[in-house]
Amino acid sequence: MSDHVALLLRRAGFGPTTEELAAAQRSGYPATLANLLEPRGPDVGATRAPIPELGPDPHAYLPNPTPEQHANADAARKEQVELIQRWWLDRMIAASHQATEKLIFFWHGHWATSADHVRSAQLMLAQHRTLREARDFAEQAHRMVVDQALIYWLDGHYNKRGAPNENLARELFELFMLGIGNYTERDVQEAARALTGWRVVLSRRTPVHDPPHHDSGRKTILGTTARFDAAGLVDLLLNQPQCPRFIAERLWFRYASATRPLPEETRERMVAEFPVPGRMLRAMFSDAAFPATAHTLPKQPVEWLVGAMRQLGLRMASLPVDTATEILYDVRALGQMPFAPPSVGGWPAGTAWLTSAAAEVRMSLGDKLVGFVAPTRLTPEEVARLLCVDRWSDRTYAVLRDAKDARQLLTLGLASPEYLVT
């Protein structure tokens, strides 16, 4: 698999720099895979983009705000959300441990929660910390099911004894842990009872449980009867044979192919490593089925942007704040904003990103980024090396060769079909 080092770097991270690709090719596939999934030492790059300290939510201590106080708090919240969005993009760019950062972005799309509804940067950042800190999927699931941002996003704070709200329970089965077809409506109804009693308190960083509103009665879920609570429900789902198979499928869908099914032998290798995501990824990336998916997975907008900025040597933090904010608007126009997935189902994959409208935005944004590099002289071959593109098609090469100057040449490279797929 030595010929597939570049593919591995593009899929496991956000896009290698020329130097990273050259070093990986010298090391070979097995060593590169080990370095990606088991990095040694601290993430030196990420230390230059520490998680911001926000202080309390602007609405946390305003029990009876005046209209002006309410508006000011809303404005402060919006600024804080934009701050953490700029920060995370910068962190993705700066991170030395690219596979770690990419995996956290995967989990964000898996437990898709949006600041557009939650509105509190503090709650979103607390959820983000959980995704970073959880040792494996089991710990992650236990923490996420009582995560305040997720509870608010899925109306879990309305879920009380005698009046259960099924939203969180349904998504826990369908999107987070088991997948469609592996539960019944009765299971959802009973699981909702198990999740009753959790509240969202803006002044608290940890989950708040209200025992009087929890249904402590016996429930029958997936054929098992017990006095399930949130922790017991998660344990039950983790022990279902379909849970590791579902997570393996989700990893394959995002990292390998959105169109080709996960081969059964590969799935079983991944399932054997559950619940540790890094080990599941190692099983997938080291399987012969993985390189067969080469050039079939279009980049998501965040992958495209982060990879481009890494290869151009740019950082969000080094740009003027107004320019960084403009980039955020462009990313939203492309359809993928960190901390703001469109629905609980997360973002689409595959050719959904390759629209004519998106092409126009990418050209404009690419030109904006290249403007900060100010190239004076480039050839199509040099652009390929800079962007870590294996080779140009004859059609793309003809377009690049006719570029009027180096800036246009590099911008066209960023918008080329070869650069838009991993």
Side-chain angles (χ1 to χ4, degrees):
M1 298 178 69
S2 60
D3 294 338
H4 302 292
V5 169
L7 172 66
L8 173 65
L9 292 178
R10 290 194 291 264
R11 295 291 177 85
F14 289 102
T17 64
T18 303
E19 294 77 12
E20 289 168 343
L21 177 56
Q25 289 173 330
R26 288 193 298 270
S27 298
Y29 197 98
T32 298
L33 180 59
N35 290 336
L36 283 168
L37 299 181
E38 299 173 11
R40 297 180 180 179
D43 189 325
V44 177
T47 60
R48 298 194 292 270
I51 297 177
E53 292 294 335
L54 299 175
D57 185 289
H59 277 283
Y61 301 104
L62 293 175
N64 297 296
T66 65
E68 182 179 7
Q69 289 174 323
H70 192 281
N72 288 339
D74 280 350
R77 271 183 158 186
K78 182 179 179 181
E79 290 179 1
Q80 289 179 342
V81 169
E82 288 189 356
L83 170 64
I84 64 172
Q85 288 169 332
R86 290 196 305 269
W87 161 76
W88 195 9
L89 286 171
D90 190 56
R91 172 79 171 232
M92 294 178 201
I93 296 164
S96 303
H97 298 169
Q98 280 284 293
T100 300
E101 209 66 34
K102 180 75 168 284
L103 184 59
I104 294 167
F105 189 64
F106 164 82
W107 288 126
H108 174 45
H110 182 82
W111 301 92
T113 307
S114 177
D116 289 349
H117 177 71
V118 176
R119 304 184 68 191
S120 171
Q122 284 76 6
L123 295 187
M124 296 300 300
L125 206 53
Q127 181 185 98
H128 183 88
R129 287 180 182 275
T130 291
L131 299 181
R132 287 190 178 278
E133 295 166 358
R135 292 165 297 179
D136 56 28
F137 182 75
E139 179 184 343
Q140 185 183 100
H142 274 287
R143 293 178 64 174
M144 288 298 293
V145 78
V146 295
D147 173 75
Q148 294 198 89
L150 189 66
I151 287 172
Y152 189 87
W153 170 236
L154 293 176
D155 300 324
H157 50 304
Y158 297 129
N159 190 14
K160 299 178 180 180
R161 180 168 56 89
N165 183 291
E166 298 176 6
N167 287 359
L168 178 54
R170 185 175 305 281
E171 306 309 350
L172 193 64
F173 282 102
E174 180 177 328
L175 295 176
F176 302 152
M177 296 191 72
L178 295 186
I180 296 173
N182 296 296
Y183 58 92
T184 67
E185 283 300 305
R186 184 62 178 170
D187 291 327
V188 172
Q189 293 164 4
E190 294 285 88
R193 293 175 54 211
L195 297 175
T196 51
W198 292 94
R199 294 189 294 122
V200 175
V201 180
L202 292 176
S203 60
R204 296 279 297 274
R205 288 195 174 189
T206 55
V208 177
H209 192 244
D210 194 354
H213 290 298
H214 174 64
D215 184 338
S216 59
R218 296 173 70 81
K219 303 105 178 167
T220 300
I221 306 171
L222 297 172
T224 300
T225 301
R227 297 185 184 276
F228 286 108
D229 56 10
L233 173 61
V234 170
D235 283 336
L236 177 68
L237 300 188
L238 286 169
N239 287 321
Q240 299 301 305
Q242 185 55 32
C243 183
R245 292 172 64 86
F246 176 67
I247 298 304
E249 289 168 1
R250 298 309 301 165
L251 289 167
W252 176 268
F253 181 79
R254 290 296 183 183
Y255 280 89
S257 177
T259 56
R260 299 182 184 182
L262 170 58
E264 189 60 33
E265 290 185 3
T266 311
R267 186 205 315 272
E268 292 309 309
R269 289 188 64 198
M270 296 175 71
V271 165
E273 302 298 339
F274 183 82
V276 183
R279 293 179 183 175
M280 295 180 75
L281 284 176
R282 186 184 185 101
M284 184 188 75
F285 286 135
S286 60
D287 194 282
F290 169 68
T293 66
H295 305 298
T296 62
L297 194 60
K299 293 178 182 177
Q300 298 177 72
V302 164
E303 290 179 300
W304 176 84
L305 174 69
V306 172
M309 293 189 71
R310 297 189 82 242
Q311 289 155 353
L312 295 177
L314 299 175
R315 288 273 306 275
M316 292 288 286
S318 64
L319 299 176
V321 173
D322 289 348
T323 301
T325 301
E326 287 178 13
I327 292 175
L328 285 186
Y329 294 152
D330 289 336
V331 173
R332 186 178 288 275
L334 286 173
Q336 189 175 47
M337 173 69 81
F339 292 111
S343 72
V344 70
W347 289 287
T351 57
W353 301 115
L354 304 181
T355 66
S356 57
E360 292 181 11
V361 176
R362 275 194 298 269
M363 281 291 292
S364 174
L365 178 51
D367 180 68
K368 187 181 301 180
L369 297 176
V370 172
F372 285 98
V373 180
T376 57
R377 181 180 299 176
L378 283 173
T379 66
E381 291 78 11
E382 289 170 334
V383 171
R385 284 193 294 272
L386 177 63
L387 302 183
C388 298
V389 171
D390 294 334
R391 64 186 62 84
W392 301 120
S393 68
D394 291 343
R395 182 176 180 181
T396 298
Y397 188 85
V399 172
L400 297 177
R401 186 184 54 203
D402 292 340
K404 65 180 182 181
D405 54 31
R407 177 168 179 167
Q408 186 183 61
L409 172 58
L410 186 49
T411 300
L412 288 170
L414 291 171
S416 67
E418 291 81 1
Y419 191 71
L420 296 181
V421 296
T422 58

